[in-house]
Amino acid sequence: EPSCQDWGRTKMGSMASRMEEERQQEKMDGFDFEKAVSRQFQEQINAITSLDGALGEDGLKSISYPDGGIYRGEVRNSMWHGKGKLLHANGDIYEGDFLHDAKNGEGVMVEANGRRYKGEWKDNEPCGKGSYIFVNGDEYEGEVSNGKFQGSGRYTWKDGRVYQGEWYQSKMHGKGCFMYVNGDSYDGDWYEDQKHGAGYLVEGRLEHSVFYNQGKLVAYGKRCNTSKFSLPRMVMKEDAVNQ
């Protein structure tokens, strides 16, 4: 009686033509596996496609879904489990770890619109440490939760501006430093993307203690040797203009 391995080799030969037809159809649909995946993973995909159906419920499989989605990778108890690659029906592509039919662990997502995320996942959502590259050229690297910037992270705009500090629900929130293209910077308190509270403002060679209220500068003064946010010699903005 032939072994599972012998049967698999026979099936590999008989399925070669069908595998090529599937690839050509995928290219016609706008998805080219040759360009979309790494060379190392492409070799694995070839083996997965050739052994489709030969390994029962567990092992490497290629699964096509009615909505156009395609999964190629490790399966356990008929669930995505291990290393794999998932082409969503909308054109998004994920490559990485799966656990119990969900993205869990380390992985890379390339969305159809060009946005990319590389990092940790939990239950199909970016969660942990990771990095984003956006279509407009902006980048983020740091902590994320449920797909949002959450915790400590660094955001770099395409034009050269940089914010490094704390985030909440993808908004600058807490302590952080914002650096402008011309070299000026603000280091201090933030609340929902607005300067709010005490901090330091550097303009050229001048450095001031400042205080903001919902994004509006309400007071500032010269820096002296005191605690960072003590705001020494504070002067109301309106009075300073008249000096």
Side-chain angles (χ1 to χ4, degrees):
E1 184 177 352
S3 65
C4 181
Q5 290 81 1
D6 293 333
W7 185 82
R9 295 191 189 99
T10 302
K11 190 171 182 67
M12 286 173 62
S14 65
M15 294 181 63
S17 59
R18 184 169 69 87
M19 181 180 69
E20 183 61 26
E21 290 177 0
E22 289 181 353
R23 289 190 177 186
Q24 292 300 323
Q25 183 61 47
E26 289 163 0
K27 291 181 179 181
M28 291 177 63
D29 294 339
F31 179 73
D32 189 344
F33 266 107
E34 299 292 338
K35 295 180 180 179
V37 302
S38 64
R39 181 177 301 175
Q40 179 180 3
F41 200 82
Q42 182 63 49
E43 295 174 356
Q44 186 181 22
I45 285 178
N46 292 341
I48 294 169
T49 308
S50 299
L51 291 172
D52 186 14
L55 299 177
E57 292 185 352
D58 294 345
L60 302 175
K61 290 182 71 69
S62 174
I63 307 172
S64 298
Y65 298 94
D67 65 356
I70 300 173
Y71 173 80
R72 291 179 175 172
E74 295 177 294
V75 174
R76 181 182 298 176
N77 296 327
S78 299
M79 294 187 296
W80 309 333
H81 196 95
K83 300 290 184 182
K85 190 174 191 75
L86 180 63
L87 167 63
H88 293 269
N90 65 358
D92 296 349
I93 304 171
Y94 171 84
E95 176 182 342
D97 298 330
F98 290 87
L99 179 66
H100 302 310
D101 248 4
K103 306 179 187 76
N104 279 287
E106 296 280 344
V108 178
M109 172 75 88
V110 180
E111 298 180 0
N113 61 13
R115 187 174 72 166
R116 300 187 179 196
Y117 171 79
K118 179 179 181 180
E120 298 174 332
W121 293 76
K122 182 178 180 180
D123 297 333
N124 288 324
E125 293 288 347
C127 192
K129 294 183 179 180
S131 61
Y132 281 95
I133 299 178
F134 298 93
V135 180
N136 63 0
D138 295 353
E139 297 183 13
Y140 172 83
E141 182 175 1
E143 297 175 317
V144 296
S145 179
N146 295 322
K148 295 183 180 295
F149 313 153
Q150 186 94 349
S152 179
R154 179 186 180 94
Y155 193 100
T156 304
W157 282 263
K158 183 180 179 180
D159 62 11
R161 291 172 296 157
V162 177
Y163 171 83
Q164 183 162 347
E166 297 175 325
W167 296 81
Y168 179 76
Q169 295 289 303
S170 291
K171 292 184 178 182
M172 297 176 283
H173 192 93
K175 303 290 186 181
C177 181
F178 191 98
M179 292 162 277
Y180 296 89
V181 179
N182 64 357
D184 294 351
S185 66
Y186 168 77
D187 187 358
D189 296 333
W190 294 80
Y191 182 84
E192 295 186 347
D193 272 349
Q194 292 186 328
K195 302 180 187 73
H196 185 76
Y200 281 131
L201 180 65
V202 177
E203 296 176 303
R205 296 183 178 181
L206 301 178
E207 184 171 352
H208 305 280
S209 297
V210 293
F211 195 91
Y212 283 88
N213 183 18
Q214 296 182 343
K216 296 181 179 180
L217 178 62
V218 294
Y220 68 91
K222 294 181 179 180
R223 183 177 184 180
C224 64
N225 295 323
T226 59
S227 61
K228 188 172 184 181
F229 295 118
S230 62
L231 302 177
R233 297 178 57 186
M234 295 303 295
V235 180
M236 296 306 297
K237 184 179 178 183
E238 292 79 6
D239 295 335
V241 172
N242 297 324
Q243 293 180 1

